[in-house]
Amino acid sequence: MGVVAAAGTIFAYGQTGSGKTFTMEGAEDAPGIMPRAFEYLAERTAQAADTAEYVVYLSFLELYNE
């Protein structure tokens, strides 16, 4: 199989106090989008570790304009 690539972006925008950080990060008992996505990637790459090689790049940027 050749090179397969995927990219994604999540953009959270809204009023202060509207729950953007909680949605993205979550809490210990209720993980948000980022920890769930990282767990999913780790599981998928581990499942195919015998048949494929993965390189995963992640970045996180948070801007404040208050």
Side-chain angles (χ1 to χ4, degrees):
M1 179 188 273
V3 175
V4 177
T9 300
I10 298 174
F11 186 84
Y13 177 82
Q15 184 174 343
T16 299
S18 63
K20 299 174 299 293
T21 300
F22 183 76
T23 298
M24 295 303 294
E25 297 178 8
E28 190 172 328
D29 61 335
I33 293 171
M34 290 190 306
R36 291 183 1 223
F38 300 155
E39 184 177 349
Y40 173 81
L41 286 171
E43 289 173 359
R44 291 296 301 242
T45 56
Q47 287 174 356
D50 295 336
T51 59
E53 181 178 326
Y54 290 91
V55 177
V56 179
Y57 296 98
L58 304 168
S59 63
F60 171 74
L61 175 66
E62 188 169 5
L63 301 175
Y64 289 97
N65 187 18
E66 297 191 37

